[in-house]
Amino acid sequence: TSYRLDRVENLTISEEYSIDAKEKIGQNPELYIQEYIEKSVNHFSGESIRIEVEYEPNQVTNAILYDFAGSSVKVKKQANGSCRAVFSKMNSVTLTGWFMQYANMFQVIEPEKLRNELQEQLKEAVKKFLAENGHEYQDFGTHDTQSCDYPDIAVPVAKAVAAGEFDRGILICGTGIGISMAANKVKGIRAACCSDYFSAKFTRLHNDANVLCMGARVIGGGLACELVDVFLNTEFEGGRHQRRVDQIHAIENGEIL
């Protein structure tokens, strides 16, 4: 008989407490595994919730979705070629973890609370990366998973960067687009919405971008930290690119109409 324990990650047992597997499991492995699941990884925090996602259908995404959502998932093809899937899942810590892992494949449509949780989780992943790599930072919010208006976060961050209080800024919303639009309304800000390594690097090399914007419904924590890393560690090339950045400033000052 084979046993499958799905989606239990980062599980370690110290050698001090480890014993022979046969001795631990004994003659009733089913009972032991059931007890282990109930007592050791009881991470469920609520009732089953309805989830709606949008994704691009292909062999990989279909397999990942059906493995996670089960056979009860309902899928409807959209006019643009993408698919909308609806399924129910127990609200648990592994639910947000799954969406963080596959954020580049599946965009959460509903519920809003889950979308907000993903944004908060992405921010926490970035904060942990900054701290581990010796970067000083200030968290301008939001500080919970309640719905908020992204301009309320974008403007204070943008103003602080424009005033020279911070070298760079990092902003997160659902797609990264809305919050970048808001930040770019602040004079002196060159905010770039990035979801790939090349864009994050070259917006520093060629555009001297000073605020990185990312979408929690577009990318996961691992990629987000890679983008933050290259954004913070790439210097502006200057040269012909300085002339173009100066033209942006001229537009901002009303000198080029």
Side-chain angles (χ1 to χ4, degrees), residues 80-128:
N80 62 3
S82 66
C83 284
R84 287 280 181 97
V86 176
F87 59 93
S88 294
K89 200 73 177 174
M90 183 72 76
N91 189 16
S92 70
V93 294
T94 54
L95 182 62
T96 53
W98 187 86
F99 279 107
M100 284 285 289
Q101 181 178 355
Y102 297 111
N104 62 322
M105 297 183 183
F106 302 95
Q107 294 188 13
V108 177
I109 307 301
E110 296 291 344
E112 182 182 31
K113 185 176 184 295
L114 179 58
R115 298 204 309 264
N116 295 338
E117 286 175 357
L118 292 174
Q119 291 175 204
E120 183 66 17
Q121 289 291 326
L122 188 65
K123 185 182 77 169
E124 291 304 313
V126 170
K127 286 170 59 177
K128 181 180 178 182

Side-chain angles (χ1 to χ4, degrees), residues 150 172-184 193-194 213-215 218:
Y150 52 77
I172 297 169
C173 69
T175 63
I177 298 172
I179 207 162
S180 67
M181 290 179 174
N184 277 321
C193 178
C194 300
C213 303
M214 299 180 290
V218 181

Side-chain angles (χ1 to χ4, degrees), residues 62-80:
N62 288 338
I64 292 172
L65 176 64
Y66 280 94
D67 176 64
F68 184 66
S71 58
S72 62
V73 62
K74 296 180 180 179
V75 179
K76 183 177 181 180
K77 195 158 189 177
Q78 305 297 297
N80 62 3

Side-chain angles (χ1 to χ4, degrees), residues 190-207:
R190 296 174 300 282
C193 178
C194 300
S195 56
D196 64 89
Y197 186 90
F198 181 85
S199 298
K201 181 174 182 177
F202 276 81
T203 198
R204 285 290 307 133
L205 284 172
H206 291 180
N207 313 127

Side-chain angles (χ1 to χ4, degrees), residues 235-253:
E235 296 300 324
F236 179 47
E237 279 188 346
R240 69 183 189 280
H241 305 297
Q242 182 63 62
R243 181 177 71 252
R244 294 159 185 170
V245 171
D246 290 341
Q247 289 172 334
I248 294 174
H249 290 166
I251 296 170
E252 193 173 58
N253 293 327

